[in-house]
Amino acid sequence: MMAPRLHFTEVEEKYCVDSGDGTTEQGVFISDPRYKAVAPMFAERVLPIVALFGPPQPKWKKLLGVAPPIPIDHQQRKLFGGHAGVVGNGRVWTALHNVFHGNHQLDKAWSQLQMLEVIPFNFLWVQDNKDPVTLSQGQWGRTDICSIRPIRYARRLPKGFRRSDRQPKVGDAVGIVVHRTWDLTQELVGVPLNTLPRPVEHLYGDTHQTAVLTGKITHVSPKTIEYNINAYKGCSGAVVFYLEDEYGSLTTNAEAVGVHAGAVGGSFNTGFRFPH
Protein backbone atom coordinates (compact mmCIF):
# COMPACT_ATOMS: atom_id res chain seq x y z
CA MET A 1 0.00 0.00 0.00
CA MET A 2 1.27 3.44 -0.87
CA ALA A 3 2.08 5.70 2.06
CA PRO A 4 -0.36 8.59 2.49
CA ARG A 5 0.78 11.90 1.07
CA LEU A 6 0.85 14.62 3.66
CA HIS A 7 1.46 18.20 2.65
CA PHE A 8 2.47 20.70 5.29
CA THR A 9 2.45 24.46 5.31
CA GLU A 10 6.00 25.84 5.27
CA VAL A 11 6.83 26.29 8.94
CA GLU A 12 9.01 29.04 10.35
CA GLU A 13 9.90 30.23 13.82
CA LYS A 14 9.57 33.78 15.09
CA TYR A 15 11.40 36.19 17.28
CA CYS A 16 8.44 37.81 19.06
CA VAL A 17 9.50 40.13 21.88
CA ASP A 18 12.54 41.38 23.75
CA SER A 19 12.37 39.00 26.67
CA GLY A 20 15.22 40.71 28.50
CA ASP A 21 18.44 39.14 29.68
CA GLY A 22 18.07 35.48 30.45
CA THR A 23 19.97 33.82 33.25
CA THR A 24 21.47 30.43 34.07
CA GLU A 25 20.38 28.37 37.06
CA GLN A 26 22.31 25.16 37.82
CA GLY A 27 23.59 25.10 34.23
CA VAL A 28 20.12 25.58 32.70
CA PHE A 29 19.31 28.75 30.72
CA ILE A 30 15.98 30.42 31.49
CA SER A 31 14.82 33.31 29.30
CA ASP A 32 12.85 34.94 32.14
CA PRO A 33 14.70 35.08 35.50
CA ARG A 34 11.38 35.12 37.37
CA TYR A 35 11.13 31.38 36.70
CA LYS A 36 14.72 30.41 37.42
CA ALA A 37 13.73 28.41 40.50
CA VAL A 38 11.87 25.84 38.40
CA ALA A 39 14.19 25.80 35.36
CA PRO A 40 16.28 22.78 36.49
CA MET A 41 13.13 20.76 37.19
CA PHE A 42 11.73 21.40 33.71
CA ALA A 43 15.14 20.77 32.11
CA GLU A 44 14.93 17.13 33.27
CA ARG A 45 12.11 16.68 30.75
CA VAL A 46 13.95 17.72 27.57
CA LEU A 47 13.79 15.23 24.69
CA PRO A 48 15.63 16.21 21.47
CA ILE A 49 14.82 14.03 18.49
CA VAL A 50 16.34 13.65 15.03
CA ALA A 51 14.42 11.57 12.51
CA LEU A 52 16.11 9.56 9.77
CA PHE A 53 13.52 8.83 7.09
CA GLY A 54 13.12 6.03 4.58
CA PRO A 55 13.16 2.23 4.93
CA PRO A 56 15.32 0.80 7.73
CA GLN A 57 18.82 -0.16 6.71
CA PRO A 58 20.68 -3.18 8.15
CA LYS A 59 23.31 -0.97 9.73
CA TRP A 60 20.64 0.89 11.74
CA LYS A 61 19.44 -2.41 13.19
CA LYS A 62 22.95 -3.23 14.37
CA LEU A 63 23.09 0.10 16.18
CA LEU A 64 20.12 -0.47 18.46
CA GLY A 65 20.58 -0.63 22.20
CA VAL A 66 24.11 -0.17 23.47
CA ALA A 67 25.64 0.46 20.06
CA PRO A 68 27.72 3.60 19.38
CA PRO A 69 25.92 6.71 18.16
CA ILE A 70 25.14 7.46 14.51
CA PRO A 71 26.88 10.68 13.46
CA ILE A 72 24.31 13.26 12.37
CA ASP A 73 25.78 16.18 10.50
CA HIS A 74 24.66 19.80 10.89
CA GLN A 75 22.63 19.84 7.68
CA GLN A 76 20.54 16.84 8.75
CA ARG A 77 19.93 18.35 12.16
CA LYS A 78 18.79 21.59 10.61
CA LEU A 79 16.37 19.81 8.31
CA PHE A 80 15.05 17.09 10.56
CA GLY A 81 15.92 18.17 14.10
CA GLY A 82 13.17 18.75 16.60
CA HIS A 83 11.95 17.88 20.04
CA ALA A 84 9.43 15.62 21.70
CA GLY A 85 8.13 15.05 25.20
CA VAL A 86 6.74 12.33 27.42
CA VAL A 87 3.19 13.23 28.46
CA GLY A 88 0.89 11.14 30.58
CA ASN A 89 1.37 7.40 30.80
CA GLY A 90 4.69 7.07 28.97
CA ARG A 91 3.40 8.33 25.63
CA VAL A 92 5.78 10.41 23.51
CA TRP A 93 4.26 13.42 21.73
CA THR A 94 5.81 15.61 19.04
CA ALA A 95 4.93 17.72 15.99
CA LEU A 96 3.74 15.59 13.10
CA HIS A 97 6.09 17.35 10.69
CA ASN A 98 9.05 16.20 12.82
CA VAL A 99 8.47 12.56 11.96
CA PHE A 100 7.01 12.83 8.49
CA HIS A 101 9.08 14.60 5.87
CA GLY A 102 7.88 14.86 2.29
CA ASN A 103 6.24 11.61 1.19
CA HIS A 104 8.40 9.13 3.06
CA GLN A 105 6.84 5.97 4.44
CA LEU A 106 5.92 6.42 8.08
CA ASP A 107 5.03 2.91 9.22
CA LYS A 108 8.50 2.63 10.72
CA ALA A 109 11.22 5.23 10.89
CA TRP A 110 14.50 5.35 12.69
CA SER A 111 15.06 8.11 15.14
CA GLN A 112 17.81 9.40 17.32
CA LEU A 113 16.90 9.88 20.93
CA GLN A 114 18.84 12.54 22.83
CA MET A 115 20.88 12.85 19.60
CA LEU A 116 22.95 9.88 20.81
CA GLU A 117 20.91 6.69 20.78
CA VAL A 118 18.86 5.14 17.98
CA ILE A 119 15.33 3.80 18.40
CA PRO A 120 12.69 2.63 15.93
CA PHE A 121 9.12 3.72 16.49
CA ASN A 122 5.57 3.25 15.27
CA PHE A 123 3.08 6.08 14.92
CA LEU A 124 -0.18 6.68 16.71
CA TRP A 125 -2.26 9.07 14.64
CA VAL A 126 -4.31 11.82 16.18
CA GLN A 127 -7.89 12.20 15.05
CA ASP A 128 -9.12 14.87 12.64
CA ASN A 129 -5.71 15.82 11.25
CA LYS A 130 -6.59 16.48 7.61
CA ASP A 131 -8.39 19.83 7.59
CA PRO A 132 -6.71 23.27 7.65
CA VAL A 133 -6.52 24.91 11.08
CA THR A 134 -7.38 28.60 11.37
CA LEU A 135 -4.98 30.76 13.40
CA SER A 136 -5.31 34.37 14.53
CA GLN A 137 -3.68 35.36 11.24
CA GLY A 138 -3.46 32.69 8.55
CA GLN A 139 -3.99 28.95 8.40
CA TRP A 140 -1.99 25.85 9.27
CA GLY A 141 -2.27 23.14 6.63
CA ARG A 142 -3.43 20.42 9.02
CA THR A 143 -3.35 19.40 12.67
CA ASP A 144 0.38 19.14 13.40
CA ILE A 145 0.62 16.93 16.48
CA CYS A 146 1.05 13.18 16.90
CA SER A 147 2.17 10.61 19.40
CA ILE A 148 4.76 7.93 18.72
CA ARG A 149 5.22 4.56 20.38
CA PRO A 150 8.85 3.44 20.64
CA ILE A 151 9.30 -0.23 19.76
CA ARG A 152 12.46 -0.56 21.77
CA TYR A 153 14.10 2.06 23.94
CA ALA A 154 17.77 2.72 23.45
CA ARG A 155 17.91 4.52 26.80
CA ARG A 156 15.58 5.64 29.54
CA LEU A 157 13.12 8.29 28.55
CA PRO A 158 13.27 11.54 30.54
CA LYS A 159 10.71 12.50 33.15
CA GLY A 160 7.27 13.20 31.78
CA PHE A 161 4.69 15.96 31.95
CA ARG A 162 1.16 15.69 33.25
CA ARG A 163 -1.53 16.32 30.66
CA SER A 164 -3.44 19.32 31.96
CA ASP A 165 -7.22 19.50 31.98
CA ARG A 166 -7.03 23.26 32.54
CA GLN A 167 -8.52 25.52 29.88
CA PRO A 168 -5.74 27.79 28.51
CA LYS A 169 -6.43 31.50 28.35
CA VAL A 170 -4.74 34.63 27.02
CA GLY A 171 -2.06 35.80 29.44
CA ASP A 172 -1.15 32.39 30.86
CA ALA A 173 2.60 31.99 31.34
CA VAL A 174 3.97 29.03 29.38
CA GLY A 175 7.33 27.61 28.40
CA ILE A 176 9.14 25.02 26.29
CA VAL A 177 12.36 23.18 27.14
CA VAL A 178 14.88 22.64 24.33
CA HIS A 179 18.49 21.62 23.77
CA ARG A 180 20.56 22.37 20.69
CA THR A 181 24.03 21.30 19.58
CA TRP A 182 24.35 23.78 16.71
CA ASP A 183 24.87 27.53 16.49
CA LEU A 184 21.92 29.75 15.67
CA THR A 185 21.79 31.57 12.34
CA GLN A 186 19.50 34.09 10.68
CA GLU A 187 17.72 31.23 8.89
CA LEU A 188 17.01 29.42 12.15
CA VAL A 189 15.96 32.48 14.19
CA GLY A 190 14.01 34.20 11.41
CA VAL A 191 15.69 37.63 11.63
CA PRO A 192 19.25 38.89 11.11
CA LEU A 193 21.15 38.26 14.32
CA ASN A 194 22.58 41.78 14.31
CA THR A 195 19.04 43.19 14.56
CA LEU A 196 18.27 41.38 17.83
CA PRO A 197 18.17 43.73 20.85
CA ARG A 198 20.46 41.44 22.82
CA PRO A 199 23.14 38.84 22.08
CA VAL A 200 21.77 35.48 20.95
CA GLU A 201 22.95 33.69 24.07
CA HIS A 202 21.01 36.18 26.26
CA LEU A 203 17.77 35.29 24.45
CA TYR A 204 18.17 31.58 23.64
CA GLY A 205 21.05 30.31 25.77
CA ASP A 206 24.36 28.89 24.61
CA THR A 207 25.03 26.06 22.18
CA HIS A 208 25.03 22.69 24.01
CA GLN A 209 22.93 24.19 26.80
CA THR A 210 19.45 23.11 27.84
CA ALA A 211 17.14 26.11 27.77
CA VAL A 212 13.67 26.91 29.09
CA LEU A 213 12.15 29.52 26.75
CA THR A 214 9.17 31.38 28.17
CA GLY A 215 6.32 33.67 27.16
CA LYS A 216 2.61 34.40 27.44
CA ILE A 217 -0.35 32.95 25.55
CA THR A 218 -1.64 35.53 23.07
CA HIS A 219 -4.48 33.61 21.37
CA VAL A 220 -6.51 30.45 22.05
CA SER A 221 -8.56 28.37 19.60
CA PRO A 222 -10.12 24.91 19.96
CA LYS A 223 -7.04 23.25 18.43
CA THR A 224 -4.18 25.71 19.00
CA ILE A 225 -2.58 28.21 21.31
CA GLU A 226 -0.33 31.05 20.21
CA TYR A 227 2.32 32.65 22.40
CA ASN A 228 5.19 35.13 22.28
CA ILE A 229 7.91 32.62 23.15
CA ASN A 230 11.04 33.35 21.10
CA ALA A 231 11.73 30.11 19.22
CA TYR A 232 14.10 28.88 16.49
CA LYS A 233 13.97 26.10 13.92
CA GLY A 234 14.56 22.91 15.84
CA CYS A 235 12.15 23.77 18.70
CA SER A 236 9.16 22.13 17.00
CA GLY A 237 7.74 19.21 18.93
CA ALA A 238 8.72 20.55 22.34
CA VAL A 239 5.99 20.23 24.95
CA VAL A 240 4.30 23.52 25.92
CA PHE A 241 3.75 23.63 29.69
CA TYR A 242 2.38 26.02 32.30
CA LEU A 243 4.84 28.03 34.39
CA GLU A 244 2.15 29.41 36.70
CA ASP A 245 -1.02 27.99 38.20
CA GLU A 246 -4.48 29.41 37.60
CA TYR A 247 -3.88 32.03 40.30
CA GLY A 248 -0.61 33.33 38.85
CA SER A 249 1.71 31.60 41.32
CA LEU A 250 4.84 29.74 40.23
CA THR A 251 4.07 26.05 39.70
CA THR A 252 6.18 22.91 39.58
CA ASN A 253 3.31 20.64 38.54
CA ALA A 254 4.75 20.18 35.00
CA GLU A 255 1.31 20.41 33.40
CA ALA A 256 1.39 20.22 29.60
CA VAL A 257 -1.09 22.04 27.38
CA GLY A 258 0.17 21.03 23.92
CA VAL A 259 3.10 20.66 21.52
CA HIS A 260 5.06 23.48 19.87
CA ALA A 261 4.89 23.52 16.08
CA GLY A 262 6.31 26.87 14.85
CA ALA A 263 4.69 29.78 13.05
CA VAL A 264 2.95 30.55 9.75
CA GLY A 265 1.54 33.75 8.31
CA GLY A 266 1.19 36.67 10.66
CA SER A 267 0.50 34.59 13.75
CA PHE A 268 2.83 34.29 16.73
CA ASN A 269 4.56 30.98 17.44
CA THR A 270 1.94 28.26 17.70
CA GLY A 271 1.36 25.06 19.60
CA PHE A 272 -1.23 22.37 18.96
CA ARG A 273 -3.36 21.34 21.92
CA PHE A 274 -3.70 17.67 22.82
CA PRO A 275 -6.76 16.08 21.20
CA HIS A 276 -9.65 15.18 23.49
Side-chain angles (χ1 to χ4, degrees):
M1 179 182 294
M2 291 290 292
R5 291 179 176 269
L6 298 186
H7 301 285
F8 291 98
T9 305
E10 182 64 27
V11 177
E12 57 182 338
E13 301 279 358
K14 287 190 175 180
Y15 169 78
C16 301
V17 295
D18 181 3
S19 57
D21 276 334
T23 189
T24 296
E25 181 73 13
Q26 297 181 35
V28 180
F29 176 81
I30 179 82
S31 60
D32 189 332
R34 290 178 296 175
Y35 304 112
K36 66 180 183 179
V38 298
M41 184 272 291
F42 287 123
E44 295 176 352
R45 292 163 168 81
V46 68
L47 181 55
I49 182 172
V50 177
L52 304 174
F53 299 96
Q57 302 295 322
K59 65 178 180 179
W60 303 146
K61 296 179 182 180
K62 295 178 182 178
L63 288 174
L64 290 176
V66 296
I70 294 176
I72 300 294
D73 65 28
H74 176 78
Q75 184 67 15
Q76 287 176 305
R77 276 200 302 264
K78 186 167 65 173
L79 290 175
F80 303 133
H83 285 76
V86 180
V87 181
N89 190 22
R91 180 173 290 189
V92 177
W93 288 86
T94 188
L96 183 58
H97 73 255
N98 275 354
V99 289
F100 191 100
H101 185 74
N103 294 320
H104 291 283
Q105 176 69 39
L106 56 78
D107 287 339
K108 291 183 180 179
W110 301 89
S111 173
Q112 269 205 342
L113 180 62
Q114 298 286 43
M115 288 182 271
L116 289 176
E117 306 285 356
V118 181
I119 59 170
F121 55 79
N122 283 332
F123 291 78
L124 299 178
W125 288 93
V126 299
Q127 300 297 313
D128 186 28
N129 67 339
K130 296 180 180 179
D131 298 326
V133 178
T134 300
L135 306 177
S136 61
Q137 299 182 57
Q139 281 192 330
W140 208 283
R142 63 174 57 239
T143 302
D144 200 349
I145 181 174
C146 71
S147 60
I148 59 178
R149 182 179 61 245
I151 301 170
R152 176 179 170 185
Y153 296 103
R155 59 184 296 172
R156 282 182 89 93
L157 288 172
K159 289 184 177 181
F161 292 87
R162 294 171 52 194
R163 184 165 166 172
S164 179
D165 56 7
R166 169 178 159 189
Q167 178 68 25
K169 63 182 186 299
V170 172
D172 283 344
V174 291
I176 58 175
V177 57
V178 293
H179 184 96
R180 61 184 169 86
T181 59
W182 58 92
D183 295 333
L184 292 180
T185 63
Q186 174 180 333
E187 180 186 0
L188 299 179
V189 173
V191 297
L193 300 188
N194 60 8
T195 66
L196 293 172
R198 302 174 190 277
V200 167
E201 61 272 16
H202 291 203
L203 295 169
Y204 301 97
D206 287 319
T207 305
H208 299 288
Q209 184 177 30
T210 299
V212 179
L213 306 178
T214 67
K216 301 280 189 180
I217 292 179
T218 60
H219 185 264
V220 178
S221 78
K223 291 187 177 181
T224 64
I225 54 173
E226 297 172 33
Y227 34 78
N228 58 7
I229 294 175
N230 294 329
Y232 55 85
K233 287 186 177 179
C235 291
S236 58
V239 171
V240 184
F241 54 87
Y242 290 112
L243 289 163
E244 298 174 350
D245 63 21
E246 294 177 276
Y247 306 101
S249 299
L250 192 67
T251 181
T252 58
N253 288 337
E255 290 192 347
V257 62
V259 166
H260 175 72
V264 297
S267 62
F268 272 144
N269 287 315
T270 299
F272 279 80
R273 297 170 63 179
F274 296 113
H276 297 297

